[in-house]
Amino acid sequence: MSVSEHQDIINQANEAVAARAKEINSGEYLLHYHLTPPANWMNDPNGLIHYKGEYHLFYQHYPYGDNWGPMHWGHAKSGDLAHWEHLPIALAPSEPYDLGEKDGYGCWSGSAIEHDGKLFVFYTGHVDANDPKEVQCMAVSGDGIHFDKFAHNPVISNSPDGECFGFRDPKVWKRGEFWYMVIGSGKDGKGRALLYRSGDLIHWEFFSVAAESDGTQGDMWECPDLFPLGDKHVLLISPMNMDGTKNLYFVGDMDYETGKFQPEDQAKLDDGFDFYAAQTFPDSQGRRIVIGWMDMWGSKMVSEKRGIYGAMTIPRQLLLTSDGTVAAKPVPELESLREQGSEYRELFLFGDEAIVLEDHVGGGSAEFILEMNLADCSAEQLDIKLCSSENELEETLLRYVVNENTLYVDRDRSGIGDGGISAAKLPDSHDGRLKIHAFLDRSSLEVFVNDGLRVLSNRIYPRSKMDRLHLTSIGGPATIHSISIWKLKNIWK
Ligand code: FRU
């Protein structure tokens, strides 16, 4: 189709979203400071980039319903990673390689780069009825808002593997004279990251299988991302069919001569239930930022039929720690969301008796930071309950068990969403310090332990807003060195 026909399809989709958005002004589970679509469906973050001084985030979007469907690329931007503004849809299915007749088609996930002042995006054209059904495509924008699909798409039309389980989610970056692209795939029951190389962004040659599952790490690697961090490289993937593990990273070394990534250690970037398809990008301050989809395939889609489904996590900065693992810390710009706050110091918990804090948790969108020294704790466990004064049956429990050195987030009594207990064991070398930094939004809870050494992201759907924190030390007394609580702003008002 012509450029203007693609634009017509986009205009129609924008109108559908705007009409639906007008009807949803006070949904009870709407998030206050997370990025969600204006209306209807969102999954993976795509095309994350710091372009001409602004952060751009595209996302998998179905503009005609709050369910997954033919994928478009929704678009938002931010000056500071904390306040977001919606922009028009960037890509819609319009060509034989991304448009089909039934549900199984669309502009699937991908990434963005800047070249000659222009914004280039790479995505997978997916059409179930085609063979091959997944091909890699490019689109270009001069203003960062309107995109023209490359006239000679696809830029990669066949997997080197022939028969394979998936060939999608291109992530592009530059190193030296070459552009590199890693693509997620799977063969013979093993997920793999395929590496391509190009001198001009148009002609791509297959370079190598950069990395492959050892047989236990999933049979298809969605949304692979390969990037330098400190003096190492990290490969981040979203594995399919890996026993409950939905995100995984490897720290290792990348050999650009052979195109091989040599993994050394592996771990999860997030131990919660709702973190998937994460993508990273470098910003102008030299930081490596990660954002994930804060939902999960197969989970109970509580907000279905409420007009919006899907959200992004808050942005986190990735850091290589001294023990060779990757920490993910909330970016400091999020402090600009703080409204009223209060701080308590040297809170003594007698054991088995709750201290109730009600400051600023009321609106259901709040942040708190609790710090303690475990030397000041003779308790067996510390419980932080997020509760509602209106509904005593509902609570979300954060429980730190001292002898296990593990933080649990228990959402079995959180409300109408999925239950389940997620757990993060802290590294043994964490020097007796416990810092729990939590971001609560109306229907989400992201918990960062010891400056992002461990992270747990979960959706929760309490019927009544949580307005209280209960602190209890169980099996002995404990002193909380400090706890600060802030109400966070609603960026959408
Ligand atoms: C991951 C994913 C990607 C795909 C996209 C489709 O959540 O399955 O592999 O490109 O979603 O929406």
Side-chain angles (χ1 to χ4, degrees):
M1 280 183 198
S2 68
V3 168
S4 69
E5 282 166 319
H6 180 221
Q7 194 54 52
D8 289 346
I9 301 174
I10 286 178
N11 294 344
Q12 199 188 329
N14 284 329
E15 280 164 27
V17 174
R20 189 74 181 103
K22 271 200 208 127
E23 298 163 9
I24 335 165
N25 32 36
S26 62
E28 54 191 322
Y29 294 122
L30 292 183
L31 295 164
H32 287 185
Y33 58 89
H34 283 83
L35 179 64
T36 58
N40 292 326
W41 173 272
M42 164 192 270
N43 59 288
D44 314 0
N46 294 156
L48 299 182
I49 190 166
H50 197 198
Y51 173 69
K52 296 191 175 158
E54 290 180 307
Y55 294 95
H56 287 258
L57 187 154
F58 302 84
Y59 53 90
Q60 291 284 279
H61 183 35
Y62 181 52
Y64 297 103
D66 53 12
N67 51 296
W68 188 81
M71 285 291 113
H72 296 53
W73 274 36
H75 189 188
K77 70 172 184 176
S78 170
D80 62 0
L81 291 172
H83 298 80
W84 293 92
E85 183 189 321
H86 290 299
L87 291 173
I89 288 169
L91 296 174
S94 65
E95 308 301 320
Y97 52 78
D98 59 22
L99 178 65
E101 301 206 330
K102 288 196 282 31
D103 277 357
Y105 66 88
C107 303
W108 282 24
S109 285
S111 58
I113 51 104
E114 180 178 351
H115 179 53
D116 283 344
K118 295 197 176 111
L119 184 53
F120 287 70
V121 296
F122 292 83
Y123 68 96
T124 298
H126 178 113
V127 183
D128 278 354
N130 288 357
D131 185 15
K133 69 170 172 235
E134 293 186 329
V135 296
Q136 316 314 321
C137 312
M138 181 172 88
V140 188
S141 169
D143 62 5
I145 295 180
H146 302 96
F147 287 82
D148 296 340
K149 292 180 185 173
F150 179 52
H152 303 292
N153 270 342
V155 290
I156 302 176
S157 32
N158 274 301
S159 155
D161 288 333
E163 276 289 294
C164 60
F165 179 20
F167 180 55
R168 59 176 175 267
D169 309 338
K171 176 80 198 299
V172 177
W173 70 99
K174 191 168 195 193
R175 188 169 186 280
E177 289 159 50
F178 286 105
W179 296 95
Y180 291 85
M181 180 193 287
V182 65
I183 300 176
S185 189
K187 188 161 175 68
D188 303 330
K190 293 179 182 172
R192 39 171 45 188
L194 304 173
L195 191 64
Y196 282 73
R197 201 164 63 167
S198 170
D200 60 7
L201 292 171
I202 292 169
H203 304 92
W204 291 89
E205 57 163 351
F206 173 64
F207 186 21
S208 62
V209 178
E212 188 175 40
S213 160
D214 64 7
T216 66
Q217 296 147 331
D219 55 3
M220 155 68 192
W221 286 358
E222 294 193 308
C223 305
D225 193 349
L226 181 57
F227 53 91
L229 194 68
D231 56 358
K232 305 299 275 185
H233 268 74
V234 174
L235 174 64
L236 175 64
I237 56 163
S238 297
M240 289 172 76
N241 303 312
M242 184 185 167
D243 272 353
T245 297
K246 304 290 187 185
N247 73 89
L248 191 68
Y249 72 82
F250 304 92
V251 175
D253 292 311
M254 180 65 199
D255 183 342
Y256 278 93
E257 298 293 308
T258 59
K260 295 279 177 198
F261 172 77
Q262 192 58 51
E264 287 158 7
D265 293 311
Q266 72 175 61
K268 285 196 214 177
L269 198 55
D270 195 305
D271 288 295
F273 290 113
D274 293 292
F275 183 82
Y276 197 68
Q279 188 176 94
T280 77
F281 68 104
D283 78 353
S284 63
Q285 300 173 37
R287 300 183 295 184
R288 176 63 60 168
I289 312 281
V290 68
I291 295 177
W293 180 39
M294 191 168 60
D295 288 286
M296 186 53 72
W297 297 116
S299 65
K300 185 170 165 188
M301 302 206 166
V302 171
S303 45
E304 219 164 19
K305 304 289 164 265
R306 292 169 199 256
I308 291 192
Y309 190 81
M312 293 294 138
T313 64
I314 53 171
R316 305 152 184 197
Q317 181 182 1
L318 295 183
L319 295 159
L320 194 65
T321 65
S322 51
D323 62 2
T325 59
V326 177
K329 273 174 89 155
V331 297
E333 288 94 322
L334 294 165
E335 290 171 19
S336 66
L337 299 173
R338 292 175 182 169
E339 293 186 325
Q340 302 97 319
S342 52
E343 189 188 27
Y344 302 83
R345 297 188 79 88
E346 307 306 330
L347 267 189
F348 188 70
L349 305 178
F350 287 92
D352 304 320
E353 197 178 305
I355 289 191
V356 181
L357 304 178
E358 285 177 311
D359 299 16
H360 315 312
V361 193
S365 295
E367 174 188 357
F368 68 85
I369 302 180
L370 175 148
E371 290 190 82
M372 68 187 293
N373 194 327
L374 291 171
D376 301 331
C377 173
S378 350
E380 286 153 21
Q381 62 196 47
L382 176 76
D383 282 2
I384 308 168
K385 281 186 201 163
L386 295 162
C387 326
S388 162
S389 52
E390 287 165 32
N391 181 343
E392 290 188 355
L393 295 175
E394 284 182 357
E395 64 182 33
T396 299
L397 171 65
L398 276 65
R399 167 168 289 171
Y400 177 72
V401 178
V402 179
N403 68 3
E404 295 176 16
N405 199 11
T406 298
L407 183 78
Y408 295 91
V409 177
D410 180 343
R411 56 175 196 180
D412 277 347
R413 305 206 306 151
S414 289
I416 61 170
D418 282 323
I421 303 175
S422 41
K425 183 167 170 22
L426 284 169
D428 290 332
S429 59
H430 77 129
D431 70 18
R433 194 177 61 93
L434 181 65
K435 178 174 173 190
I436 297 177
H437 188 174
F439 287 83
L440 170 69
D441 207 346
R442 190 59 187 84
S443 56
S444 69
L445 176 65
E446 288 156 281
V447 181
F448 298 82
V449 194
N450 286 10
D451 295 315
L453 277 188
R454 295 289 182 270
V455 188
L456 302 109
S457 303
N458 287 293
R459 296 306 296 266
I460 46 172
Y461 295 93
R463 266 165 284 229
S464 343
K465 282 182 194 159
M466 290 175 298
D467 51 10
R468 285 184 173 165
L469 280 185
H470 282 212
L471 299 177
T472 323
S473 67
I474 296 175
T479 303
I480 307 284
H481 172 61
S482 66
I483 176 162
S484 303
I485 308 175
W486 295 269
K487 175 180 179 334
L488 297 188
K489 100 156 64 133
N490 187 344
I491 62 167
W492 304 111
K493 285 224 158 113

